[in-house]
Amino acid sequence: SAVISQKPSRDICQRGTSLTIQCQVDSQVTMMFWYRQQPGQSLTLIATANQGSEATYESGFVIDKFPISRPNLTFSTLTVSNMSPEDSSIYLCSVDVSSYNEQFFGPGTRLTVL
Amino acid sequence: AQSVTQLGSHVSVSEGALVLLRCNYSSSVPPYLFWYVQYPNQGLQLLLKYTSAATLVKGINGFEAEFKKSETSFHLTKPSAHMSDAAEYFCAVSVFSGNTPLVFGKGTRLSVIA
């Protein structure tokens, strides 16, 4: 399996500011995924982060708003920029460990924007 | 493109009763199917997965699901509900065995009544 940690676990931020969320995995993985879970909703994929290349964003998500870094095979960051209350969500990272044929999820970062 | 439909945003059962959570998928190719559980204020935990082996899949905590290609369904069941089963359940699909993001259903909240 894969053990994934995220920092911070939760935060309350003011509108107009930015927050960087860290995701650390205990093993090397090729792909990391970032999802958003808005209150009472399902998970929506924000982007796929492949080490050594630009992240691939889903429709409705742009790099200026959600810049992602992937400096190595065990770490990634997602920044939520110029936040508004609509960005209040849980942000989760996940990895696909192909040998297990399943995705593992981090515990999530619960973000509240005032 | 693949999609997942979960019938019923909220299901309520009595303790000891059968749990049935419905999931139908749409995919142009043979899918990989997953059920995840999310307990309050926690991340996602994999319950079980279908990866083209046996059509009846047994998971953790006494849950199982049956893949029915003719019905494009992957319903989750448990013979006897426990209070600890109260959580949000998500069905998800992917079309590759690895390094592919998941498409999630909207989720079903399971309540268990004593």
Side-chain angles (χ1 to χ4, degrees), chain A residues 35 37 42 96 100-101 103 110, chain B residues 36 49 51 97 100 102 105:
Chain A
Y35 292 85
Q37 186 179 21
S42 186
D96 194 312
Y100 289 91
N101 204 24
Q103 279 194 19
R110 186 179 296 270
Chain B
Y36 283 86
K49 60 186 179 184
T51 56
S97 63
T100 305
L102 300 176

Side-chain angles (χ1 to χ4, degrees), chain A residues 10 30-31 33 35 37 40-45 48 58 90 92 96-98 100-108 110, chain B residues 6 32 34 36 38 40-46 49-51 88 90 96-107:
Chain A
R10 59 178 62 229
T30 305
M31 295 285 195
F33 306 100
Y35 292 85
Q37 186 179 21
Q41 302 297 315
S42 186
L43 282 78
T44 301
L45 181 68
T48 300
E58 296 299 300
I90 300 172
L92 300 103
D96 194 312
V97 181
S98 296
Y100 289 91
N101 204 24
E102 67 184 74
Q103 279 194 19
F104 297 88
F105 284 81
R110 186 179 296 270
Chain B
Q6 291 185 241
Y32 295 87
F34 307 83
Y36 283 86
Q38 185 178 37
N41 299 315
Q42 296 188 28
L44 273 73
Q45 180 182 8
L46 181 70
K49 60 186 179 184
Y50 167 76
T51 56
E88 189 86 18
F90 294 97
F96 296 105
S97 63
N99 286 327
T100 305
L102 300 176
V103 174
F104 284 86
K106 292 185 180 298

